[in-house]
Amino acid sequence: MRILLLSDIHANLEALEACLAAAPSFDRVLNLGDVVGYGASPNEVSDRARGLGKIFVRGNHDKAATGLMDIDDFNPMAAAAAVWTREQLTPENLDWLRSLPQGPLQAEDIPDVQLVHGSPADEDAYVVSLGDALAPLIAATVPAIFFGHTHLQGAFFANGPAADGFRPEYRTVGQAESIAFQLKPEARYMLNPGSVGQPRDGDWRAAFALFDTDAQIFHFHRAPYNLKSAQDRIFEAKLPPRLATRLAAGR
Ligand code: ZN
């Protein structure tokens, strides 16, 4: 089976469409949360994401935009976007986002994989470093945990007493590219497809991944998208301008 992994789309329609156009053929879509928040196309992205598949976990921005989580802990920029998003969402999309399940989640027919937004023990925790990943890797009940939330594409893994991280290094900064990462049967992994709609690893291109369960290869992907269009929507919506400018830097 070939699984398309999307995370942290953040209401960026242009980035989502670019990922779908760049993705090789796939059988299923798994979504790791933060469908909305920050970007200016919450309804278009919710509609599109809902049509792609049924396996989602919720993100903190999905909770904030639908009133399931207090926005007091959000920075002013994120809070302003959450309030704006709530005003924009149709009742149908609000209900759908509110009903997204909390991770960790396991799909019946993909037994060796767990989905979370942040970390298995805490859906809102950030797994940024190998140090953050060690406890969940040791506690893992499945060989592979797919996670998002940090907007940083990459992997952490433990193999017996050895543990390490992997960050894909691409050749260009403007073309569609992919890097294959082979999983070993004896190791445990935490794998992050990166953020579709607001990457923060210094690469402005939309990030996603494709996992081939038969070959046990996790393909990291980057796809350029219509940045200006996504930015213009944010300016027109009178969202904080930094939400538009940061997209160009991938920060
Ligand atoms: Zn996010």
Side-chain angles (χ1 to χ4, degrees):
M1 191 190 303
R2 291 162 61 82
I3 302 168
L4 179 67
L5 280 147
L6 303 174
S7 190
D8 298 278
I9 304 170
H10 282 291
N12 186 334
L13 182 65
E14 288 79 1
L16 174 59
E17 293 295 355
C19 290
L20 295 172
S25 66
F26 54 86
D27 306 305
R28 305 281 291 273
V29 180
L30 304 184
N31 191 306
L32 306 178
D34 281 0
V35 176
V36 298
Y38 295 135
S41 304
N43 284 309
E44 296 88 337
V45 164
S46 296
D47 291 341
R48 191 81 168 97
R50 291 170 67 178
L52 286 171
K54 292 193 164 48
I55 305 177
F56 291 80
V57 290
R58 67 185 187 184
N60 52 318
H61 286 262
D62 304 321
K63 289 192 288 180
T66 55
L68 286 175
M69 188 178 127
D70 213 324
I71 56 171
D72 289 352
D73 292 341
F74 271 30
N75 67 53
M77 204 165 58
V83 169
W84 179 88
T85 300
R86 197 179 309 178
E87 290 166 1
Q88 302 300 313
L89 285 168
T90 63
E92 197 186 19
N93 282 334
L94 259 175
D95 283 348
W96 175 71
L97 286 164
R98 204 174 274 141
S99 71
L100 293 180
Q102 178 179 351
L105 202 76
Q106 239 168 303
E108 271 175 28
D109 56 341
I110 318 172
D112 292 343
V113 160
Q114 207 173 48
L115 317 180
V116 296
H117 184 60
S119 181
D122 178 354
E123 62 175 338
D124 297 329
Y126 289 91
V127 178
V128 175
S129 66
L130 180 60
D132 300 330
L134 282 180
L137 282 170
I138 289 165
T141 54
V142 289
I145 297 165
F146 297 154
F147 74 107
H149 195 35
T150 62
H151 301 205
L152 303 171
Q153 196 176 47
F156 299 109
F157 49 95
N159 194 347
D164 208 346
F166 174 82
R167 282 275 159 79
E169 285 181 28
Y170 295 99
R171 290 186 307 276
T172 78
V173 291
Q175 291 167 28
E177 284 188 76
S178 75
I179 288 178
F181 180 72
Q182 177 75 55
L183 274 56
K184 295 183 184 141
E186 65 276 17
R188 304 253 147 152
Y189 293 88
M190 286 192 78
L191 298 141
N192 188 333
S195 168
V196 172
Q198 196 200 75
R200 292 179 196 158
D201 44 16
D203 186 334
W204 70 277
R205 294 172 293 181
F208 66 97
L210 195 134
F211 181 54
D212 185 325
T213 61
D214 297 330
Q216 289 288 299
I217 296 175
F218 195 89
H219 299 269
F220 293 100
H221 284 263
R222 299 307 280 233
Y225 69 96
N226 191 335
L227 176 70
K228 186 175 183 306
S229 173
Q231 290 179 317
D232 284 347
R233 285 181 202 255
I234 290 170
F235 292 134
E236 281 161 26
K238 306 256 186 312
L239 282 160
R242 163 100 177 100
L243 292 175
T245 54
R246 70 183 298 175
L247 293 177
R251 293 286 177 200

